[in-house]
Amino acid sequence: MSGIGPPEPGEGTRAWDGPRQKGHAGRTRAALAGRCARHRRTALSLAAAAVLLGGGALYATRPHPPAPTRRPHPQVPYPVHAVDVTYLGARPAPAGAPPRSFSLTVLLSVASGPPVTVTRVTQPYAALSLVTEPPAPFRTPADSARKITITMHVTECEKAPRNAELPFLDVTLRNTRAIQTQSFILGPRYAQDLSQALEVACSNRSR
């Protein structure tokens, strides 16, 4: 039997080398495509981070509006700066006052600003109590003065001072700006009249 058959494969060759090489090329292209996609995703991530960082830097370095400044208070004086208290003199205690009582008068003047209200008047001695006429609270407008009668009552003669040195009155004042308590030292004549009134109130001549 004669004839020419299909050629035998040469040494070192395989029938499946061609198809395997084709499949390997496909996988190589797929791997390259995957790496390119990863590179693109990385580049996009870096770009997004750069945008965020740039935005944060712009936010941090943006010009800030100036802090609000505290507006000065309108030209309203503190009540202690607008008020003066001067001593006028002694006077008899009003009718109906309890025994061992006496009265002293002062003048409260308001120089400027809004009206000033006297909310309280006190004195430093525990053995004395006092009331005022007009009774507190009372109001005094600016550029005016008000006479105040202070009636003191000796509650314990044993604890009352016999020689009042530098006595003062504590007056609590209020206007539209503040509430303040001021100690007014009324001078030597007030100290002398107070000492004399205490001596009379606690002597045998007291009623």
Side-chain angles (χ1 to χ4, degrees):
M1 183 175 181
S2 62
I4 302 174
E8 294 293 333
E11 186 178 357
T13 63
R14 298 177 182 175
W16 56 81
D17 282 348
R20 287 191 63 180
Q21 290 175 359
K22 182 178 180 181
H24 179 70
R27 286 195 296 273
T28 301
R29 287 194 297 272
L32 289 174
R35 283 198 293 272
C36 291
R38 286 196 295 273
H39 286 315
R40 284 196 297 272
R41 288 196 295 271
T42 302
L44 289 174
S45 299
L46 291 174
V51 169
L52 290 176
L53 289 174
L58 289 175
Y59 180 82
T61 58
R62 80 192 192 286
H64 294 277
T69 57
R70 187 175 182 180
R71 293 183 179 180
H73 199 280
Q75 296 302 313
V76 174
Y78 284 100
V80 298
H81 296 158
V83 170
D84 188 30
V85 177
T86 56
Y87 178 61
L88 296 180
R91 59 174 298 172
R100 301 195 301 272
S101 296
F102 55 91
S103 295
L104 307 167
T105 57
V106 298
L107 187 70
L108 182 139
S109 305
V110 180
S112 61
V116 174
T117 300
V118 174
T119 63
R120 190 182 182 192
V121 179
T122 60
Q123 53 77 43
Y125 302 112
L128 302 178
S129 64
L130 69 78
V131 293
T132 65
E133 180 58 42
F138 56 86
R139 195 181 193 195
T140 305
D143 300 320
S144 64
R146 182 189 292 269
K147 183 185 290 186
I148 306 169
T149 299
I150 300 171
T151 299
M152 297 189 185
H153 169 62
V154 183
T155 57
E156 297 182 65
C157 283
E158 295 78 11
K159 296 182 181 180
R162 295 303 183 187
N163 186 15
E165 296 181 358
L166 294 178
F168 58 89
L169 291 176
D170 282 334
V171 184
T172 302
L173 307 165
R174 182 184 73 219
N175 68 1
T176 56
R177 182 165 187 178
I179 299 176
Q180 295 176 298
T181 298
Q182 176 73 6
S183 296
F184 291 95
I185 298 175
L186 303 178
R189 192 160 68 96
Y190 174 76
Q192 181 179 352
D193 288 350
L194 178 60
S195 297
Q196 184 177 356
L198 288 170
E199 182 180 355
V200 171
C202 291
S203 67
N204 294 330
R205 291 176 292 169
S206 63
R207 55 190 175 94

